[in-house]
Amino acid sequence: MVGLSAFDYAAVWPEILLLVMACLILLVDLFLPDQRRHVTYVLTLATLGAVALVTGWSARAESAYALHGMFVDDPLSDTLKVMVCIAVAAVVVYSRGYVVARGMFRGEFFTLLLFATLGMMVMISANSLLMLYLGLELLSLSVYALVALQRDSAAGTEAAMKYFVLGALASGMLLYGMSMIYGATGTIEIPKIAQAVADGKANATILVFGLVFIVAGIGFKLGAVPFHMWVPDVYEGAPTIVGQLISTAPKLAAFAFVMRVLVEALGHPSILAEWRQMLILLSVASMAVGNIGAIAQTNLKRMFAYSTISHMGFMLLGVIAGDINGYGAGMFYVVVYALMALGGFGMILALARDGFEADRLEDFKGLNRRSPWHALLMLLLMFSMAGVPPLVGFYAKLAVLQAVVNAGFTWLAVVAVMFSLIGAFYYLRIVRLMYFEEPTDTSPIHGYTSARLLLSLNGIATLVVGIVPGWLMSVCQYAIQSSL
Amino acid sequence: MTGLPLLSLAIWVPIVGGVIVLVAGAGNNAHRARWIALLVALAGFLVSLPLATGFETYGHSMQFVEKASWIERYHVDYHLGIDGISLLLILLNGLTTILVVIAGWRVIDTRVEQYMAAFLVMSGLMNGVFAALDGLLFYVFFEATLIPLFIVIGVWGGPNRVYAAIKFFLYTLFGSLLMLIALVYLYNASGGSFALADWYRLPLPMGAQTLVFIAFLVAFAVKVPMWPVHTWLPDAHVEAPTGGSVVLAAIALKLGGYGFLRFSLPIVPDASHALSGLMIALSLIAVIYIGLVALVQTDMKKLIAYSSISHMGFVTLGLFLFNRIGVEGAVIQMISHGFVSGALFLSVGVLYDRMHSRQIADYGGVVDRMPLFASFFMLFAMANAGLPGTSGFVGEFMVIMGAVQSNFWIGFAAATTLVFGAAYTLWMFKRVVFGAVANGNVAELADLEWREIVLMVILAVAVMGMGLYPAPFNAILEAPVSDLLLHLDRSKLP
């Protein structure tokens, strides 16, 4: 057993802070009249900022354990947690204009966001299957509620229902898989599972049987084909702001999930070969369905959904590579993806108005005429998603391609770039609509200054991080290297 | 050598300048955008001049080298340096940018700042391609040029511009993605280095060499473009605005030829030797077949586009002859083609701005109304046909000589271009310029204005100068071409 004390406060400080603040905000919000609701907004942002700071502050190079070894605080968790906080804070800032216009500017929205964040953080720091599951459920339940937050929206309710039913199914599978692994190894603690597998004490048949269910559950959470059915419907039906949340921060947590379960617990070469084959299948199918499916879409949110599917397929390539280098590349990919998805949804939010969602492709027609700046930002985001240098999306693709070629899967790299060529087509289509066509709607673009600033920052970041990508790559590599 | 990072300046002055134009010209401030753009273009060219004056003509190593760590994680360096080949292309690029800014002065009247900024940024990126000594840095510049060109074709192009822009983008992206895998493969094979110098030394088995060669071939062949992946070029040329066509023909196509020189030949010499037959065959098909295709075109821009492909066939032919005169001829042909095709597209642009038609049939008797224009157009047409005394002759002649040296029949086949080239160019010229005044529109044509005269004179001087006195070009090319041939002679099989 690696854990020293049963309860090392330093390791769980950020989570405790977040939990306390989330409850506090829930209470404070009850006593706020509607016109003072912005207090909740500010408190939420302050909480996320404080949690990120505390996490960064307490970050240490070595791992610390808490809660009888069920909880781990290592560089990987610190890095991902800070990024999750930043992503959720960005969602909060983007949300303001949108939720105010739609009557969702209420305490529930913010507290649910905070509980979802707590779920993600627990997931990221989990050192036992049970903790992992708890975090995942806290995240999922909060997000189901967020999707259904617009009570009288039929699409939103339908999306929430679908998400919930399929999500519950996936959770069930995951839990079943975990129980199999427990059966095979006799423990739910991740380091002990790894030990049992390495010692050859685990029953291989049961282990692989459980592994299949775990991979299916992971596939569902990532939205990888063939477990992707919910993604387009939820993205389209959910309020745009919730779509933005789903496509960003939880992906970071899901990546941590993959690292903890597949790599830390089941990373032994004998098992690695098993899940690698499954992931190759998932990855290729995701890139195929995601990129080809996106072409047929006329709704931008649905298009982003398919784009997420393909990006997750691409990210999995890094995991498939099966070495430190590949995991670092995968982490870089998921971080970059979150940055781009934030911006993409941020653009839909920026164009949305009262009772108008701006989520159809034609809403972007002639954007260059309406606002050259917004068009330029969207151009950067789209080319970045397509993976054209010097934008940051290119380096993400480069990193995973390098890893996968290094691992000897050159054919997989060829398949991947061919699908990303197909993918380039639908990103180009957005650029085409913005630049080559005349606008049908010429109303000026309004919005909160904070959201506009953030959007500008977000778009520019894809270019700036693209010109100097080294530091972010190093951060991801460091996090992986010193934690695994 | 001066202490200033001259190559970085040549890259970043136009790019930063382009951003300034974008900001300063926002809000329909077209006038200001034009003037700042011209200043930036001039500044961009001026900062590249010290490269020429300070260049050590017979030096065998890379010059004006700059090196700094860029992405430490993958050992990627911001590593710049030029030899004679890069120098010529950088100068050509700087000059072309000035011409493009002037050419778009009056014609472009919507979103001027975006138009000018796109060209300036592109110019800086192209300089980056020609100066990069690091594989990944090269790729980043190489790919980044697609974005501004895509926008230029799609926004300011002709009626079918959307189709042309997307076709252009996807075609070139397809090629370069395969190249990316080859680069990653070389990175892994060389133990984690993107430096070209390391790759030149890297021994590779034949199978790997062949695959890498093919990946590079797809990328560069699409850019050149070689038959049979040339079909995007006529569409892109026809639909692009004049400036777009000029840059495409003068600079963008050179990226392909340059890529062969910098990557394919020295990195995988054995595969280059093994597949040279294929390359020569493809080049000859481009020269002869595409030359014949050009003959039947009814659209002037399309005709020049096909003529471009045919002339670029000479470049690839010369490169894969593996003898000094052929390779040197290929590089000179690249530069010359930059001037000549640029000039021809500008000439067609001059007519198009007045008549809004590119159809040969709509013209006739232009000489009666535009005698000055007709004289310049004549010179450029002659250069395109390869008349001695123009730059077009030098490159073609050298490549044909090189071809005869290696095999008489290759030389013979290549030489037919002198017939076909003359046929399609001069026949077009005759139908457009001579004859009776075709219709009322032609009768109202006005001759060149001073801005156009400036453009024409610059290009005419370049075409004639290079044709009459090519010795300095040969001198500059001597060292890099010998180095290249040395690489080609050494087998890299382990």
Side-chain angles (χ1 to χ4, degrees), chain A residues 53 75 89 105 116 138 156 162 178 197 262 303 309 340 390 398 439 446:
Chain A
L53 276 181
F105 196 50
L138 181 54
K162 265 186 194 155
M178 285 174 178
V197 175
L262 292 189
M303 196 198 93
I309 295 171
M340 300 186 298
L398 174 76
H446 296 295

Side-chain angles (χ1 to χ4, degrees), chain A residues 280-305:
Chain A
I280 288 177
L281 224 66
L282 251 57
S283 165
V284 171
S286 300
M287 289 188 288
V289 172
N291 281 319
I292 294 168
I295 293 175
Q297 305 308 319
T298 54
N299 180 299
L300 195 58
K301 286 200 272 184
R302 264 189 108 79
M303 196 198 93
F304 277 153

Side-chain angles (χ1 to χ4, degrees), chain B residues 267-340:
Chain B
I267 295 177
V268 285
D270 302 291
S272 303
H273 278 290
L275 292 170
S276 67
L278 172 74
M279 299 300 293
I280 289 174
L282 291 179
S283 307
L284 286 178
I285 292 176
V287 168
I288 297 167
Y289 165 70
I290 301 292
L292 289 171
V293 172
L295 205 54
V296 297
Q297 298 305 315
T298 56
D299 179 312
M300 286 190 279
K301 265 188 151 179
K302 223 167 195 160
L303 188 146
I304 302 170
Y306 280 112
S307 136
S308 262
I309 302 171
S310 170
H311 281 99
M312 290 306 285
F314 262 92
V315 174
T316 46
L317 176 63
L319 291 179
F320 282 88
L321 292 172
F322 306 128
N323 55 34
R324 167 175 299 277
I325 194 159
V327 176
E328 257 182 50
V331 179
I332 291 187
Q333 172 78 352
M334 288 210 286
I335 308 292
S336 155
H337 174 261
F339 289 131
V340 175

Side-chain angles (χ1 to χ4, degrees), chain A residues 18 44-45 48-49 81-95 109-110 112-118 120-121 139 146 241 244-245 248-250 252 342 454:
Chain A
L18 183 55
T44 308
L45 274 183
L48 288 166
K81 279 183 209 168
V82 171
M83 283 168 179
V84 161
C85 287
I86 295 173
V88 177
V91 170
V92 172
V93 174
Y94 275 128
S95 74
F109 177 72
F110 296 103
L112 281 171
L113 273 181
L114 288 180
F115 279 116
T117 312
L118 182 61
M120 291 184 245
M121 290 176 68
L139 165 65
L146 278 171
I241 189 69
Q244 188 183 34
L245 174 76
T248 52
L252 296 168
L342 267 180
L454 181 62

Side-chain angles (χ1 to χ4, degrees), chain A residues 295-479:
Chain A
I295 293 175
Q297 305 308 319
T298 54
N299 180 299
L300 195 58
K301 286 200 272 184
R302 264 189 108 79
M303 196 198 93
F304 277 153
Y306 281 98
S307 139
T308 309
I309 295 171
S310 75
H311 279 293
M312 287 305 117
F314 228 102
M315 183 277 280
L316 283 177
L317 291 179
V319 184
I320 288 166
D323 54 10
I324 295 285
N325 181 23
Y327 307 141
M331 178 166 169
F332 182 66
Y333 199 99
V334 81
V335 170
V336 166
Y337 170 72
L339 177 75
M340 300 186 298
L342 267 180
F345 275 94
M347 191 58 73
I348 304 181
L349 292 167
L351 298 191
R353 292 191 304 274
D354 246 341
F356 172 68
E357 291 288 339
D359 60 356
R360 292 167 312 160
L361 286 185
E362 62 240 51
D363 297 330
F364 280 76
K365 256 188 188 169
L367 186 62
N368 188 32
R369 275 290 170 81
R370 286 171 71 192
S371 163
W373 180 239
H374 280 86
L376 181 68
L377 292 174
M378 190 65 172
L379 171 119
L380 294 177
L381 288 164
M382 289 298 107
F383 276 120
S384 181
M385 285 203 187
V388 180
L391 300 156
V392 67
F394 162 71
Y395 300 94
K397 291 210 158 76
L398 174 76
V400 292
L401 288 178
Q402 191 271 332
V404 90
V405 171
N406 197 29
F409 295 94
T410 310
W411 67 271
L412 207 50
V414 175
V415 171
V417 298
M418 284 306 120
F419 281 122
S420 74
L421 178 69
I422 297 174
F425 173 75
Y426 59 83
Y427 297 121
L428 281 186
R429 193 167 57 179
I430 308 273
V431 177
R432 186 197 91 194
L433 287 171
M434 293 188 304
Y435 277 84
F436 306 170
E437 312 235 332
E438 294 304 313
T440 45
D441 166 13
T442 50
S443 51
I445 296 165
H446 296 295
Y448 283 90
T449 320
S450 52
R452 296 171 66 126
L453 269 179
L454 181 62
L455 184 59
S456 303
L457 200 69
N458 201 165
I460 294 296
T462 59
L463 180 64
V464 172
V465 182
I467 292 173
V468 280
W471 62 274
L472 190 54
M473 287 177 158
S474 302
V475 166
C476 294
Q477 195 60 28
Y478 164 78

Side-chain angles (χ1 to χ4, degrees), chain B residues 389-477:
Chain B
T390 62
S391 64
F393 173 73
V394 185
E396 287 185 14
F397 184 66
M398 288 174 75
V399 173
I400 292 172
M401 291 229 295
V404 172
Q405 261 183 29
S406 94
N407 180 329
F408 171 76
W409 291 107
I410 297 176
F412 179 80
T416 54
T417 190
L418 294 173
V419 181
F420 296 138
Y424 60 71
T425 319
L426 298 183
W427 191 33
M428 173 195 76
F429 185 74
K430 183 220 139 208
R431 285 180 290 169
V432 170
V433 175
F434 295 131
V437 173
N439 52 44
N441 292 337
V442 174
E444 283 167 23
L445 283 176
D447 210 343
L448 301 176
E449 44 181 302
W450 67 269
R451 210 178 302 112
E452 292 161 340
I453 295 177
V454 171
L455 295 178
M456 295 291 176
V457 168
I458 296 176
L459 284 165
V461 168
V463 168
M464 297 282 289
M466 206 174 156
L468 293 173
Y469 189 55
F473 293 92
N474 290 334
I476 288 181
L477 292 178

Side-chain angles (χ1 to χ4, degrees), chain A residues 57-132:
Chain A
W57 208 299
S58 62
R60 268 165 298 166
E62 62 276 9
S63 309
Y65 297 85
L67 307 177
H68 297 284
M70 286 177 54
F71 191 94
V72 63
D73 176 31
D74 54 12
L76 176 65
S77 69
D78 291 329
T79 317
L80 281 174
K81 279 183 209 168
V82 171
M83 283 168 179
V84 161
C85 287
I86 295 173
V88 177
V91 170
V92 172
V93 174
Y94 275 128
S95 74
R96 189 153 179 199
Y98 186 86
V99 291
V100 167
R102 280 160 190 73
M104 290 157 63
F105 196 50
R106 301 191 305 257
E108 300 94 283
F109 177 72
F110 296 103
T111 33
L112 281 171
L113 273 181
L114 288 180
F115 279 116
T117 312
L118 182 61
M120 291 184 245
M121 290 176 68
V122 170
M123 241 170 113
I124 290 170
S125 265
N127 198 35
S128 114
L129 296 181
L130 201 56
M131 203 55 140
L132 209 54

